Amino acid sequence: MSLGETSGLLWIEAPVWYAIQKAVKKQPKLEVMGIGHAYIDPSGTICMDDIRIPPQEVSGAAVHTKAEDFMKLWGQLIKEFGEKWTEWCVYWHSHCNMGTGPSGTDTTELANVVKNNLEFAVGLVVNVRGEHTAWAELKYPFETSVDLEVQVDNPVYPEWDERVDTWMA
């Protein structure tokens, strides 16, 4: 997967968007975060088709996952996906009821992920109103940020309710 081959568009599959919004609205005054799986389709669109929500400590202004919980999640992804674990390159979180522009901390943390682990990663900030902002941090041919347009569908997927409730317990 190479970001240089993309159209600058992040398309979030409907059940995934539903799950993200359910997680955000489950605790609307607290931030929540997760990671997402993405692939680049033949048209160059980055397509987000799955998420995971690790255990986390949350507040109205921050979200933190303990290193051991993230390592456990990465271990599960590596076991399940092998060398394709790097396709889990979307890092998303909520800004509760605030705007969705990424903070300096958001962009710095995503740039560090790319610098240390991946060719590129996608950041996605959402809120309880369904607003969203996405960007990509790119390592090659040079370190840079690229804004992404986001497209989502918004139908209801009750089969995701139990999964999200389990993750958010």
Side-chain angles (χ1 to χ4, degrees):
M1 185 156 63
S2 170
L3 186 62
E5 302 166 4
T6 70
S7 62
L9 176 66
L10 172 63
W11 180 70
I12 304 172
E13 291 187 5
V16 172
W17 180 247
Y18 177 81
I20 289 171
Q21 284 297 290
K22 177 168 177 53
V24 170
K25 291 176 180 175
K26 187 169 179 73
Q27 298 179 345
K29 294 183 180 181
L30 301 175
E31 288 198 6
V32 61
M33 63 81 61
I35 61 172
H37 180 268
Y39 63 93
I40 298 177
D41 76 6
S43 73
T45 298
I46 301 169
C47 301
M48 186 174 167
D49 64 352
D50 200 357
I51 64 167
R52 297 290 194 279
I53 301 174
Q56 50 201 263
E57 298 170 3
V58 297
S59 72
V63 59
H64 176 72
T65 297
K66 293 178 183 173
E68 58 266 21
D69 289 331
F70 240 131
M71 294 307 296
K72 181 178 178 182
L73 175 59
W74 283 119
Q76 292 168 346
L77 294 175
I78 290 167
K79 185 176 182 181
E80 187 174 344
F81 294 94
E83 291 181 15
K84 293 191 175 222
W85 72 269
T86 58
E87 293 176 359
W88 287 86
C89 61
V90 181
Y91 295 80
W92 64 269
H93 73 282
S94 67
H95 276 182
C96 304
N97 206 24
M98 300 180 298
T100 59
S103 68
T105 300
D106 296 339
T107 56
T108 299
E109 286 183 0
L110 194 64
N112 285 337
V113 166
V114 170
K115 189 177 290 186
N116 295 320
N117 298 307
L118 304 172
E119 282 187 38
F120 79 93
V122 174
L124 174 66
V125 181
V126 301
N127 65 21
V128 296
R129 296 185 301 272
E131 298 167 340
H132 42 70
T133 299
W135 74 102
E137 292 291 336
L138 175 64
K139 186 186 289 187
Y140 300 109
F142 51 87
E143 293 179 12
T144 189
S145 286
V146 178
D147 291 334
L148 298 174
E149 178 186 347
V150 178
Q151 288 185 356
V152 297
D153 291 321
N154 206 8
V156 175
Y157 285 86
E159 62 271 17
W160 276 79
D161 289 351
E162 187 175 329
R163 285 178 76 180
V164 172
D165 288 342
T166 299
W167 289 330
M168 302 291 293

